[in-house]
Amino acid sequence: MTITQPDLSVFETVESEVRSYCRGWPTVFDRAQGSRMYDEDGHEYLDFFAGAGSLNYGHNNPVLKRALIDYLERDGVTHGLDMSTTAKRAFLESFQNLVLRPRDLPYKVMFPGPTGTNAVESALKLARKVKGREAIVSFTNAFHGMSLGSLAVTGNAFKRAGAGVPLVHGTPMPFDNYFDGQVPDFLWFERLLEDQGSGLDKPAAVIVETVQGEGGINVARPEWLRALAGLCERQDMLLIVDDIQMGCGRTGAFFSFEEAGIVPDVVTVSKSISGYGLPMSLCLFKPELDIWEPGEHNGTFRGNNPAFVTATAALEAYWADGSAMEKQTRTRGEQVERGLIAVAEENLADVKEYRGRGLVWGLELHDKGRAEKVARRAFELGLLIETSGPESEVVKLLPALTVSPDELDEGLSVLARSVRETA
């Protein structure tokens, strides 16, 4: 692909230095549809990034777009705080009937604000309010958001340093396989909880990702998650599952914890819950935990009604027929795994490991600086992929759930070439 130098001057002179994704993809995107993005010069890119997991149903999904356009054209309410609206009612009814009831999940639904970190902050606040304790346990390489409470339970040193103040009341514990199977699960954690001299304050809750996306595509085993749920129950701690990136079908089932057969006390959901990339998040919790006072946690943009509209359309289009979407995602995931096996076999000396579930996968290379080179070369060849992990050492694949088999083969072929050409 020949890429002419785009005019980036206004971004470089006016926009803050904090911008990041645009540095790896130095072009100006103009339109997008499905799994394709196009820059203003007409160059086409296959998108294996999907808005960092916010576009599980692809760009400008026609079913969702039609519902949104119809709603706007009839002057439907766009901003509603936490007022009752027809759009919110339709979403709550669909979410209850298509997601919660079929899974026998009793959750109350809270709209805490538009982003994932809003959902995490509300979950942490509720856990502390319910238990009357301050401490929260998180896990190594976790990522839960960029506001102060979320950063306190995030592992990445670079992101934590950006807080500029001490991050308190959070304690990290080893994630699954952190010690390469050499230490029994939760031995250290449970010993600290039971030892009155350990110095560990009794936690209100434990927060965990079933697959650590930003942390390097670290996949927790179902038995590890079940053991964690049992530990929380024995020690009177709430279990919070952060399903912001891995929920909404990313790993196969609608919620990523379903495979483990657990029912968390609290679940945070965002990114693809709106289905269209519109800001929206949920904090779900068991009814007995709903001890909020009216207005005790609020936010101006927690009533994003256009997001309710597209969320409802997504649920009805993709989750009303039982397990079809889940089966398709698992099938597509098996296709990605086969592609990564081929890449690993071709580059035995370079590839350390590949891992994932559903349609989230990571390719870890021995040379920690190589992943960014692979992503850069992939961009030059027309594929959008990002890196993850504490040192950006993992190539991360996050295609839309609606990606076609041919598009997957195309992207995997570009990935293979990018690995080959950066050796």
Side-chain angles (χ1 to χ4, degrees):
M1 177 186 295
T2 301
I3 300 177
T4 57
Q5 186 61 38
D7 181 7
L8 302 174
S9 58
V10 70
F11 306 107
E12 294 169 349
T13 59
V14 179
E15 191 178 0
S16 166
E17 292 298 316
V18 78
R19 64 194 187 279
S20 60
Y21 290 116
C22 58
R23 298 179 189 274
W25 301 328
T27 191
V28 180
F29 294 103
D30 179 56
R31 60 188 182 89
Q33 209 287 316
S35 289
R36 307 280 177 175
M37 296 190 73
Y38 304 85
D39 67 19
E40 59 185 359
D41 292 324
H43 297 117
E44 179 181 296
Y45 302 84
L46 180 58
D47 185 5
F48 274 24
F49 174 65
S54 296
L55 296 164
N56 280 4
Y57 313 106
H59 294 271
N60 287 302
N61 182 289
V63 176
L64 279 57
K65 180 167 67 174
R66 184 73 263 160
L68 179 60
I69 290 172
D70 289 347
Y71 183 77
L72 294 175
E73 285 186 337
R74 73 168 186 82
D75 292 331
V77 172
T78 58
H79 180 270
L81 295 161
D82 69 354
M83 294 183 287
S84 299
T85 65
T86 54
K88 184 198 284 190
R89 179 172 59 197
F91 168 73
L92 286 171
E93 290 174 346
S94 292
F95 191 70
Q96 183 179 47
N97 293 331
L98 300 179
V99 176
L100 298 181
R101 281 180 177 158
R103 293 161 179 80
D104 198 24
L105 295 172
Y107 296 135
K108 298 290 289 289
V109 179
M110 175 184 178
F111 299 100
T115 71
T117 200
N118 295 133
V120 170
E121 295 285 355
S122 64
L124 301 181
K125 186 189 291 187
L126 180 60
R128 289 170 171 140
K129 180 178 174 67
V130 168
K131 293 300 183 183
R133 309 179 208 131
E134 296 176 350
I136 303 289
V137 165
S138 57
F139 290 95
T140 50
N141 291 314
F143 178 80
H144 296 290
M146 296 300 287
S147 50
L148 292 181
S150 299
L151 280 176
V153 292
T154 286
N156 187 284
F158 174 75
K159 290 180 169 58
R160 289 175 62 88
V165 297
L167 297 171
V168 298
H169 309 308
T171 303
M173 289 292 166
F175 190 71
D176 191 13
N177 204 38
Y178 187 73
F179 293 113
D180 298 320
Q182 299 302 306
V183 178
D185 296 336
F186 308 114
L187 174 66
W188 172 245
F189 189 3
E190 193 149 26
R191 183 74 58 83
L192 290 178
L193 289 169
E194 294 174 349
D195 183 357
Q196 296 303 305
S198 70
L200 176 66
D201 293 330
K202 182 81 170 183
V206 175
I207 185 167
V208 68
E209 302 156 276
T210 65
V211 180
Q212 294 181 326
E214 299 305 309
I217 318 301
N218 305 311
V219 182
R221 294 167 296 143
E223 55 267 32
W224 186 87
L225 292 168
R226 287 192 290 271
L228 176 60
L231 175 62
C232 288
E233 186 174 3
R234 288 195 306 275
Q235 296 289 344
D236 187 34
M237 303 178 297
L238 297 183
L239 177 59
I240 304 169
V241 168
D242 181 339
D243 233 8
I244 288 165
Q245 188 168 88
M246 298 303 155
C248 303
R250 174 56 57 181
T251 64
F254 188 88
F255 294 110
S256 70
F257 56 80
E258 292 182 50
E259 181 184 3
I262 62 174
V263 180
D265 299 293
V266 184
V267 183
T268 59
V269 180
S270 187
K271 289 195 181 283
S272 273
I273 188 60
S274 82
Y276 205 75
L278 298 176
M280 179 179 172
S281 74
L282 309 175
C283 185
L284 313 175
F285 40 81
K286 293 178 178 178
E288 61 269 25
L289 304 179
D290 193 10
I291 62 171
W292 292 113
E293 296 290 334
E296 191 174 6
H297 186 93
N298 56 31
T300 303
F301 294 102
R302 64 196 186 279
N304 185 0
N305 281 258
F308 297 157
V309 170
T310 54
T312 302
L315 293 177
E316 293 178 349
Y318 294 100
W319 298 97
D321 58 355
S323 60
M325 190 68 184
E326 179 177 349
K327 291 178 180 176
Q328 176 179 297
T329 297
R330 294 189 189 282
T331 300
R332 301 281 194 272
E334 291 166 0
Q335 182 180 350
V336 174
E337 184 174 17
R338 290 193 297 272
L340 293 180
I341 290 172
V343 172
E345 290 177 345
E346 183 185 354
N347 302 271
L348 285 174
D350 301 314
V351 175
K352 180 178 180 181
E353 188 182 12
Y354 58 87
R355 51 187 181 262
R357 276 179 61 196
L359 276 173
V360 52
W361 286 86
L363 182 72
E364 184 173 359
L365 302 161
H366 287 291
D367 177 359
K368 293 184 183 298
R370 180 89 170 277
E372 290 189 346
K373 295 177 183 177
V374 170
R376 191 178 309 120
R377 181 58 180 146
F379 169 74
E380 294 169 353
L381 297 171
L383 176 68
L384 303 180
I385 51 176
E386 66 167 331
T387 62
S388 69
E391 299 178 71
S392 298
E393 74 276 19
V394 178
V395 178
K396 181 179 180 182
L397 306 182
L398 207 68
L401 306 187
T402 52
V403 67
S404 71
D406 287 345
E407 288 169 332
L408 279 181
D409 282 340
E410 177 186 344
L412 290 166
S413 176
V414 173
L415 173 64
R417 179 179 170 186
S418 300
V419 173
R420 216 166 31 241
E421 294 182 357
T422 54

